[in-house]
């Protein structure tokens, strides 16, 4: 792997720059647009003569690495490092053995929806409990290799948890900006546990981004928000892992939540590269689901406008409580290029979907549940057919936000829809004697007959 084997390409102008020439905010000063990582074999290079990774050989190599005890082989991100040569020296990879996440079926939900094939890719099973680990291992490794002592991010919670953990592993200092009062406790506690300097700002996520961008411009601090294109190189690897887990059979439709919109973009890059290199013969449709209270991309799609109008975000799915998503243009291109769709889910729909996933013994955080809520709508509108093979990306672990789950079961979420009632399991407070317990148990047994 070699440093010069990649460059950064502005997604607006197509102009290319050397990796070390990038500005601190990862935006092209001329266009204001983001960059993507480009390799000599990338489709955008249009260089048919460039040596290409060999799909056949790599499938074998990646399978072999599963038996290796080397940390970078055991990582479900770095195992695929041949398609992400972003480090000068692969020994600089900072890994917590991320990736390697399971595909679970949802038998009851599939039946309810009339689908034959419905799987979830549970990215909440990563080391810090969200998919952010897959992108943090790559981008933070770049920061470490380039000699940065400090890394920073603005976060709705999961990015800060992941960054704090990987920074601690690498011996770097981390500073986290989070919106005060709008973050789930599980995530906030992780940032502190892993030793980051945690700053709660009296603003929303979008306000945190603005301030942090100013600070990294003036200080030697490496920005690890998802504007950093190396995050997406790690976040594209679940696309590879899904194909590998399905024995290189491509699903028809992949559905992801949309917040800052990097994750859907990254998965699109992953699938597209796999097709370009001949690993797979087509790409799945990629659809993005936003919370109705934080839906600028959904609005852009339905209004057929050329400019994105930021919104003031409001949803209890805090991971996607983002009104001005940085990667919206990348995501919009992925949706359009793959034939996917953009949908929104309201608070009731999110709550019911989360309870349904929980009732299958899987569980996820509210932001992940928008995928199932969105799938129901895509089925109704005909954008997903019942014969299609569908994969939902579950982005975060249920323990990230236990308060939300408890509020749902105690009926404090104001989800007064009939669909929610069968899933509610509030804790019972009973006298400590056999008869009161038996009364409750008998009532429950009678109810489930
Ligand atoms: C970050 C995050 C999202 C949103 O991903 P984007 O790349 O910002 O669109 C969704 N769900 C969870 C659990 C997250 O942590």
């Amino acid at each position: 792997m070699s440093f010069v084997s990649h460059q950064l390409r502005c997604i607006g102008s197509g102009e290319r720059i050397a990796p070390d020439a990038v500005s601190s905010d990862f935006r092209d000063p001329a266009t204001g647009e983001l960059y993507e990582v480009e390799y000599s074999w990338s489709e955008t290079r249009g260089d048919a003569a460039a040596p290409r990774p060999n799909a056949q050989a790599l499938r074998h190599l990646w399978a072999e690495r599963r038996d290796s005890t080397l940390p970078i082989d055991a990582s479900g991100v770095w195992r695929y490092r041949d398609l992400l040569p972003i480090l000068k020296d692969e020994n600089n990879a900072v890994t917590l053995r991320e990736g390697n996440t399971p595909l679970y079926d949802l038998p009851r939900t599939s039946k309810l929806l009339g689908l034959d094939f419905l799987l979830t890719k549970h990215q909440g099973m990563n080391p810090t409990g969200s998919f952010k680990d897959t992108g943090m291992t790559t981008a933070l490794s770049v920061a470490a290799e380039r000699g940065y002592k400090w890394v920073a991010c603005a976060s709705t919670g999961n990015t800060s948890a992941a960054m704090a953990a990987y920074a601690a592993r690498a011996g770097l200092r981390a500073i986290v900006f989070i919106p005060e009062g709008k973050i789930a406790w599980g995530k906030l506690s992780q940032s502190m546990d892993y030793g980051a300097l945690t700053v709660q700002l009296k603003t929303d996520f979008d306000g945190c981004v603005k301030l942090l961008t100013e600070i990294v411009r003036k200080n030697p601090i490496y920005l690890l928000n998802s504007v950093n294109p190396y995050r997406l190189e790690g976040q594209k690897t679940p696309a590879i892992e899904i194909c590998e887990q399905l024995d290189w059979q491509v699903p028809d439709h992949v559905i992801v939540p949309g917040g800052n919109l990097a994750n859907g973009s990254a998965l699109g890059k992953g699938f597209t590269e796999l097709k370009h290199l001949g690993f797979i013969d087509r790409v799945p449709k990629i659809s993005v689901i936003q919370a109705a209270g934080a839906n600028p991309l959904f609005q852009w799609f339905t209004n057929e406008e050329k400019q994105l109008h930021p919104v003031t975000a409001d949803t209890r799915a805090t991971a996607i409580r983002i009104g001005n998503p940085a990667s919206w243009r990348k995501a919009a291109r992925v949706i359009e290029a793959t034939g996917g769709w953009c949908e929104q889910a309201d608070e009731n729909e999110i709550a019911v979907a989360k309870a349904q996933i929980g009732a299958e013994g899987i569980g996820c955080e509210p932001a992940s549940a928008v995928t199932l809520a969105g799938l129901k709508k895509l089925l109704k509108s005909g954008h997903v057919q019942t014969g299609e093979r569908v994969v939902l990306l579950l982005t975060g672990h249920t323990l990230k936000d236990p308060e939300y789950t408890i509020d749902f079961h105690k009926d404090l979420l104001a989800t007064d829809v009939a669909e929610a009632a069968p899933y509610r399991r509030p804790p019972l407070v009973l006298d400590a004697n056999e008869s009161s317990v038996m009364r409750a148990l008998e009532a429950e047994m009678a109810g489930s007959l």
Side-chain angles (χ1 to χ4, degrees):
M1 297 210 283
S2 155
F3 188 67
V4 292
S5 64
H6 79 278
Q7 52 199 342
L8 301 179
R9 176 180 178 276
C10 171
I11 63 156
S13 63
E15 290 286 324
R16 298 171 173 98
I17 58 166
D20 52 3
V22 71
S23 56
S24 57
D25 65 352
F26 294 101
R27 285 186 186 273
D28 183 321
T31 63
E33 294 287 351
L34 299 179
Y35 294 96
E36 63 183 3
V37 177
E38 186 186 62
Y39 306 104
S40 56
W41 46 262
S42 292
E43 207 167 355
T44 44
R45 274 299 287 276
D47 182 359
R52 290 182 174 212
N54 180 307
Q56 195 72 8
L58 284 180
R59 283 189 198 185
H60 286 288
L61 180 63
W62 294 342
E64 263 172 32
R65 284 179 185 159
R66 286 183 179 275
D67 293 330
S68 161
T69 53
L70 263 186
I72 51 167
D73 289 342
S75 161
V77 170
W78 295 107
R79 174 159 60 248
Y80 308 112
R81 57 193 176 273
D82 315 270
L83 297 195
L84 42 140
I86 54 174
L87 296 178
K88 262 188 232 174
D89 180 349
E90 63 187 33
N91 294 312
N92 289 330
V94 181
T95 175
L96 285 164
R97 321 297 187 270
E98 52 290 318
N100 300 309
T101 59
L103 280 176
Y104 293 126
D105 62 353
L106 292 176
R108 277 157 264 174
T109 308
S110 314
K111 203 167 158 210
L112 199 70
L113 301 182
L115 281 167
D116 298 329
F117 186 105
L118 176 61
L119 296 177
T120 60
K121 174 72 171 163
H122 206 329
Q123 293 295 95
M125 298 300 181
N126 269 291
T128 77
S130 86
F131 77 81
K132 299 298 197 301
D133 294 343
T134 59
M136 203 49 75
T137 186
T138 47
L140 190 129
S141 297
V142 169
E145 183 170 80
R146 295 189 189 169
Y148 281 90
K149 300 281 177 272
W150 278 87
V151 290
C153 70
S155 174
T156 60
N158 283 332
T159 300
S160 54
M163 184 184 80
Y166 284 85
R169 293 301 298 174
L172 303 189
R173 292 300 314 278
I175 178 168
V176 163
F177 284 21
I178 51 183
E180 195 196 20
K182 289 152 194 161
I183 173 171
W185 290 119
K187 307 176 188 183
L188 179 60
S189 69
Q190 283 179 294
S191 169
M192 297 187 281
D193 199 27
Y194 304 134
L197 176 58
T198 305
V199 182
Q200 289 192 276
L201 293 177
K202 293 180 177 160
T203 177
D204 58 7
F205 171 80
D206 301 294
C208 290
V209 169
K210 219 175 193 175
L211 180 58
L212 180 57
T213 305
E214 284 308 312
I215 288 172
V216 295
R217 203 168 275 155
K218 295 170 189 150
N219 297 278
I221 302 175
Y222 194 68
L223 181 64
L224 284 173
N225 273 82
S226 57
V227 290
N228 183 319
Y230 300 109
R231 286 265 309 271
L232 277 69
E233 290 309 288
Q235 288 173 208
K236 80 184 181 188
T237 60
I240 313 175
E241 202 171 70
I242 288 170
C243 292
E244 201 180 37
Q245 285 169 309
L246 294 176
D247 204 16
W248 301 100
Q249 302 293 305
V250 190
D252 297 306
H253 214 127
V254 173
I255 302 178
V256 295
N260 220 8
L261 295 170
N263 200 35
S265 309
L267 291 165
K269 190 172 194 279
F271 283 114
T272 307
E273 289 180 353
L274 287 179
K275 173 161 185 290
H276 175 63
L277 295 173
F279 284 86
I280 55 178
D281 56 9
R282 64 194 169 85
V283 294
K285 285 178 250 182
I286 296 177
S287 289
V288 173
I289 318 297
Q290 297 203 292
N295 65 353
L297 187 70
F298 172 78
Q299 289 193 26
W300 182 83
F301 256 83
T302 46
N303 295 339
E304 289 175 17
E305 282 183 45
K306 288 279 166 275
Q307 259 313 313
L308 189 86
H309 297 295
V311 303
T312 303
D314 187 21
T315 170
R316 277 205 61 174
T318 50
I320 50 175
R321 194 179 201 276
I322 294 174
N324 189 15
S327 294
W328 74 271
R329 201 182 289 281
K330 287 185 181 181
R333 284 182 188 173
V334 163
I335 295 168
E336 289 183 332
T338 63
W341 203 249
C342 188
E343 256 299 348
Q344 62 175 351
D346 69 25
E347 298 296 298
N348 284 334
E349 292 163 338
I350 295 170
V352 171
K354 178 174 143 48
Q356 288 174 324
I357 294 165
E360 299 254 22
I362 291 176
C364 62
E365 64 167 284
S368 310
V370 299
T371 53
L372 176 56
L375 169 61
K376 294 176 190 173
K377 295 188 152 176
L378 294 173
L379 276 164
K380 248 186 213 139
S381 62
H383 290 101
V384 173
Q385 310 285 324
T386 51
E388 286 185 50
R389 297 150 47 92
V390 179
V391 176
L392 306 179
L393 256 290
L394 298 185
T395 44
H397 197 281
T398 185
L399 290 178
K400 286 285 193 172
D401 193 355
E403 202 180 348
Y404 180 98
T405 309
I406 291 169
D407 283 354
F408 172 81
H409 289 284
K410 289 187 166 178
D411 202 2
L412 299 173
L413 278 187
T415 40
D416 53 357
V417 282
E419 278 172 287
Y423 294 99
R424 285 215 174 88
R425 296 284 181 275
L428 304 178
V429 180
L430 299 176
D431 288 330
N433 61 61
E434 195 178 329
S435 65
S436 67
V437 172
M438 284 314 296
R439 258 199 311 278
L441 193 54
E442 279 158 14
E444 187 73 14
M445 286 170 165
S448 62
L449 280 182

